[in-house]
Amino acid sequence: MSARDEILTVAQVLDELGGVSRRTFYRWREIGKAPEGFKLPNGELRIYRSEFTAWLQSLREAA
C-alpha cells in the first residue's frame, strides 16, 4: 500500500466486479475469499485499491 493508495467503497468494488451482489461480496468476506479491507468507526467497509488489485491478480493466477 502506498501513501497515495486509493480507498474504495464496497459499492465501487462491486461496480468494478461487474454485477456481483453486495450479499455475495459479504459472503466471500465471511469465508475469507474477498480482498482485505478495514472498517471505519461508523462500521462501513473500505478496501485499498492495491489490495483489490492484488486479490484480482491472485484469482487470475488461480484460474
Side-chain angles (χ1 to χ4, degrees), residues 34-51:
E36 291 291 318
F38 62 95
K39 285 193 175 186
L40 298 176
N42 65 2
E44 291 183 15
L45 181 66
R46 295 293 185 267
I47 298 159
Y48 284 107
R49 164 75 65 190
S50 60
E51 296 280 347

Side-chain angles (χ1 to χ4, degrees):
M1 170 186 72
S2 72
R4 301 196 47 109
D5 200 355
E6 182 181 8
I7 298 174
L8 304 172
T9 64
V10 171
Q12 289 172 310
V13 169
L14 296 177
D15 282 346
E16 293 214 17
L17 292 174
V20 172
S21 72
R22 185 175 290 268
R23 180 177 176 180
T24 296
F25 180 78
Y26 279 101
R27 191 170 33 227
W28 289 348
R29 283 190 46 83
E30 287 175 13
I31 63 172
K33 300 290 185 184
E36 291 291 318
F38 62 95
K39 285 193 175 186
L40 298 176
N42 65 2
E44 291 183 15
L45 181 66
R46 295 293 185 267
I47 298 159
Y48 284 107
R49 164 75 65 190
S50 60
E51 296 280 347
F52 179 65
T53 302
W55 175 75
L56 283 177
Q57 187 61 35
S58 72
L59 293 178
R60 286 185 192 110
E61 290 170 2

